[in-house]
Amino acid sequence: MKQRLIFLGPPGAGKGTQAQKLCFNYNLSHFSTGDLLRAEVATGSSLGQEVAAVMNSGELVSDKLVLSIVETRLESNSDGWLLDGFPRNVPQAEALEALLQKICQPIEAVLLFELNDEILIERLLSRGRADDNEEVIRNRLKVYREQTAPLIDYYNAHGLLQSVPGDGEVADISLRIENCLG
Ligand code: AP5
Ligand code: MG
């Protein structure tokens, strides 16, 4: 099975839910930049306070910070891994490519979770994380379209992209994912 993976898709598409299951079942390291940033926020550090303000607006945290978080983890990791919510724009994807070339760990698949906005918004509103209110969700979707969606063409051009319909039961979506990675 492919085991150097990226999960791409809009907020609420189910990346985190599916990443946790897949990583548990196949012993992959799960690197969610959102979770890692929320862990920094939880420490209450001054960096965490700055990060919280950006996250609660739905904008992206600086590339420099996010890259430093991912770099240290990938460099010290020799098993398979799944990047969830990273990269989030073309500069992050280019920096990742350079890093992976250096450590000889090329990406094997990029899975794009597809789901319509109505379902995304409904799912996020019923979860209720700090950035899950209607105004911030709309901005997260706008940021996704403007900054993250260009990665669809980017990874398609690299021959790595596969689409996964994000609707339906969690278990059915897991099967779709395993079929892509087989
Ligand atoms: P991040 O934490 O990555 O959030 P996101 O991309 O907005 O997406 P979510 O985590 O909300 O959705 P998900 O696709 O993981 O879905 P989930 O499985 O949770 O980023 C948050 C912020 O951090 C960003 O806005 C930015 O500020 C910053 N950030 C993060 N990465 C960054 C980066 N690389 N660069 C710069 N800034 C960065 O599911 C959602 C809900 O739906 C859950 O309640 C779940 O239980 C439910 N659900 C899941 N699957 C199903 C299903 N099949 N049926 C019904 N409900 C379901
Ligand atoms: Mg997530």
Side-chain angles (χ1 to χ4, degrees):
M1 198 190 76
K2 293 174 184 167
Q3 50 179 354
R4 289 189 297 274
L5 314 172
I6 292 177
F7 278 8
L8 182 66
K15 304 180 296 293
T17 303
Q18 294 296 335
Q20 269 183 13
K21 281 166 61 88
L22 190 77
C23 289
F24 179 79
N25 289 337
Y26 293 95
N27 211 14
L28 308 175
S29 298
H30 177 199
F31 299 126
S32 157
T33 43
D35 289 350
L36 293 165
L37 291 165
R38 279 183 287 278
E40 182 63 42
V41 171
T43 67
S45 67
S46 63
L47 175 64
Q49 288 172 20
E50 278 173 45
V51 167
V54 178
M55 291 176 85
N56 291 339
S57 72
E59 294 295 316
L60 296 183
V61 170
S62 79
D63 292 345
K64 189 166 170 255
L65 173 63
V66 171
L67 281 164
S68 72
I69 290 176
V70 174
E71 252 170 36
T72 47
R73 285 173 174 79
L74 281 178
E75 275 170 348
S76 61
N77 187 82
S78 52
D79 300 325
W81 41 257
L82 193 171
L83 300 176
D84 161 10
F86 175 90
R88 210 68 163 219
N89 56 28
V90 172
Q92 289 182 13
E94 288 171 346
L96 175 66
E97 205 169 309
L99 169 70
L100 294 178
Q101 231 164 48
K102 194 175 82 183
I103 61 176
C104 301
Q105 295 192 34
I107 300 162
E108 293 179 309
V110 178
L111 266 51
L112 171 65
F113 288 65
E114 294 188 294
L115 197 61
N116 71 46
D117 283 6
E118 262 167 64
I119 304 180
L120 298 172
I121 293 169
E122 195 184 296
R123 281 189 189 176
L124 294 175
L125 286 176
S126 58
R127 180 178 59 186
R129 205 169 70 191
D131 55 347
D132 287 340
N133 62 72
E134 192 139 5
E135 194 190 336
V136 178
I137 292 170
R138 293 214 179 270
N139 195 39
R140 283 159 64 196
L141 286 168
K142 180 168 175 276
V143 168
Y144 174 76
R145 271 184 220 107
E146 292 176 356
Q147 301 188 45
T148 310
L151 294 178
I152 298 171
D153 284 345
Y154 180 92
Y155 284 119
N156 223 347
H158 285 62
L160 291 168
L161 195 82
Q162 288 176 274
S163 288
V164 177
D167 59 321
E169 297 294 325
V170 170
D172 293 333
I173 300 165
S174 301
L175 286 178
R176 291 174 200 156
I177 292 170
E178 291 185 16
N179 284 336
C180 289
L181 302 177

